[in-house]
Amino acid sequence: MAAGQPTILATSGGYKPGSRTRIEFDSVMHYAVELAGVTGRAPRVTHIGTASGDQRWWAAEMDQAARIAGFDFSHLNLFTMPNVEDPEAHLLEQDVVWVNGGSVVNLLAVWRAHGLDGHLRKAWENGVVLAGVSAGSICWFKGGVTDSFGPELKPVTNSLGFLPFHNGVHFDSELRRRPLVHKLVANGTLGETHCTDDGVGLVYHGTELTEVVSSVKNKAGFRVTAGAGESVDAIAVEERLESRFLG
C-alpha cells in the first residue's frame, strides 16, 4: 500500500536507546510507517546510508532495530556499487524510504551520479513515503545548513528541491545552527526555512507542511522567514510550530 499522496517526513530524530540493543526506532520513525498506511503485513522499509558511506556496522544496528520493530527491512547501498540490480524498482516496492544522516553534500553528488535523484522523485510521486534524519532531512528541500564542508557550518543550496523551502536540523542541540539560519535567511542566501529540534518531524503532503510531530515532549519545529528591518533579528522572523507528542 502507498500513501494517498506524495508524503515526506523530515526529521531530526528517528532513534532512541534500545533496551537490549544499542538503538531502537522511536515513535517518529514508526509514524513514517503509519503515514504509508500499511496494514495486515510487515511494512517494507529501505534504509539509504549514502551520507555516511554505507557503513556496514551501522546497517547491522539498523537491522536489529528493524527486527524489534517488525519491519521488512532492507538497505540500498551505493558503495562500492549498488547492491540491487534495479534501484528504481527497489524503491518503488517500498512503503518507506529512510535516509540516514552524514554528509548531505556527498550524498547529493553520489545520488546524482547514480540517477537516484530521479528514482526518488518517482517513488515520492507514487506514494512511497520519503523520510530521514539530518542529511536525510535536508536532502528533500532546496538546501539548508551543513557541516559537510568542515567544522564551520556553511549553506548548501543544491539539494533535491522536492520541497520548495530550506531546512534546518538539530535546532536545539547544535547551538551554531540557529544563528546561522537567521543570518542566511536575512541576507537572502536561504529562503523560507523549516527547522526541527531533535526528536521532531515535519510532515509534508505534496509540498504543504501539514503537521509537526515529536518523540520528545516540549520540542518544536520552527519557520524562519525574512521580514522588514535593518538588523538580523528584525529581518529574520522565527515562528515556533508546536508539535504533537507521539509518545
Side-chain angles (χ1 to χ4, degrees):
M1 179 177 292
Q5 56 189 315
T7 302
I8 289 176
L9 176 58
T11 87
S12 289
Y15 314 119
K16 63 181 181 179
S19 57
R20 293 183 179 274
T21 57
R22 198 173 72 84
I23 64 164
E24 293 181 16
F25 297 141
D26 72 9
S27 55
V28 169
M29 176 69 143
H30 284 274
Y31 193 54
V33 171
E34 185 177 330
L35 289 168
V38 181
T39 58
R41 61 169 173 80
R44 292 188 292 270
V45 180
T46 200
H47 159 246
I48 304 180
T50 316
S52 57
D54 292 332
Q55 295 169 319
R56 299 312 195 258
W57 70 266
W58 177 251
E61 301 274 13
M62 296 281 281
D63 286 337
Q64 290 183 324
R67 175 181 53 78
I68 293 168
F71 294 168
D72 180 357
F73 200 70
S74 62
H75 305 274
L76 176 52
N77 298 327
L78 297 178
F79 291 94
T80 54
M81 66 177 70
N83 64 328
V84 296
E85 184 174 354
D86 188 338
E88 180 180 282
H90 175 79
L91 292 169
L92 289 171
E93 291 170 351
Q94 306 305 312
D95 300 303
V96 176
V97 172
W98 179 267
V99 180
N100 198 47
S103 171
V104 68
V105 170
N106 292 352
L107 171 154
L108 291 167
V110 174
W111 280 5
R112 287 179 169 131
H114 287 271
L116 214 68
D117 49 344
H119 301 335
L120 286 162
R121 176 174 285 278
K122 186 172 182 179
W124 176 56
E125 291 172 345
N126 280 272
V128 178
V129 174
L130 305 183
V133 55
S134 197
S137 175
I138 297 169
C139 63
W140 312 122
F141 294 80
K142 294 169 70 176
V145 169
T146 181
D147 58 4
S148 297
F149 299 107
E152 181 181 351
L153 296 172
K154 294 183 178 181
V156 57
T157 56
N158 67 335
S159 290
L160 299 184
F162 296 178
L163 300 173
F165 313 104
H166 289 85
N167 183 225
V169 295
H170 309 306
F171 222 46
D172 61 336
S173 63
E174 298 184 13
L175 299 182
R176 295 174 299 155
R177 289 185 183 265
R178 180 181 249 116
L180 183 56
V181 166
H182 277 240
K183 177 182 178 180
L184 294 172
V185 171
N187 68 24
T189 302
L190 302 182
E192 179 175 326
T193 302
H194 298 177
C195 307
T196 47
D197 285 341
D198 284 359
V200 173
L202 306 174
V203 180
Y204 298 83
H205 288 124
T207 58
E208 180 183 358
L209 175 60
T210 59
E211 190 176 20
V212 182
V213 296
S214 179
S215 62
V216 184
K217 290 182 177 179
N218 302 317
K219 296 293 189 83
F222 301 87
R223 180 185 286 115
V224 181
T225 54
E230 297 181 355
S231 70
V232 170
D233 288 340
I235 62 176
V237 179
E238 180 179 298
E239 175 191 0
R240 181 180 174 94
L241 308 173
E242 296 297 340
S243 65
R244 177 169 67 88
F245 177 55
L246 297 172

